[in-house]
Amino acid sequence: MEIKIEHQPSQVRLNQLGVFQWEIWQKEISKFTWTYDTQETCYFLLGDVVVTPDGGQPVKIGKGDLVTFPAGMSCIWEITSDVKKHYCFD
């Protein structure tokens, strides 16, 4: 299972996806486990995080990244600076 990241997608791309109509999630510096029941696409407005999929390599994500997490993936989130993101479950 692969985490897909688009660094600094264009405003046109974000508008096509309707990103700015999605819900917002915020979280302070922390570390926790998470399992994705369904695919999630999110766009990071603020923050830095390292997501480590079970059995996989750590992935650094931050402000300006458009990220897709696959359904069924379990991982550890390590938030190193407070996160604010738009998100949508597909």
Side-chain angles (χ1 to χ4, degrees):
M1 293 189 189
E2 182 184 351
I3 298 170
K4 296 177 183 157
I5 302 175
E6 284 182 57
H7 298 289
Q8 307 299 321
S10 69
Q11 197 68 38
V12 170
R13 170 103 168 105
L14 296 173
N15 290 338
Q16 285 172 339
L17 292 170
V19 165
F20 300 106
Q21 279 72 53
W22 297 350
E23 298 286 329
I24 287 182
W25 181 82
Q26 297 183 78
K27 184 77 173 165
E28 68 283 349
I29 294 171
S30 55
K31 188 173 182 177
F32 57 92
T33 58
W34 188 257
T35 298
Y36 290 89
D37 296 327
T38 56
Q39 177 176 287
E40 178 189 347
T41 303
C42 56
Y43 177 68
F44 283 76
L45 298 169
L46 293 172
D48 293 289
V49 62
V50 177
V51 178
T52 306
D54 287 359
Q57 295 298 311
V59 177
K60 291 184 179 182
I61 301 164
K63 180 180 177 180
D65 288 340
L66 180 67
V67 185
T68 302
F69 298 101
M73 184 184 80
S74 293
C75 57
I76 296 172
W77 270 63
E78 186 172 357
I79 298 173
T80 56
S81 69
D82 294 0
V83 164
K84 181 177 183 182
K85 66 176 183 158
H86 284 285
Y87 71 94
C88 176
F89 288 102
D90 301 327

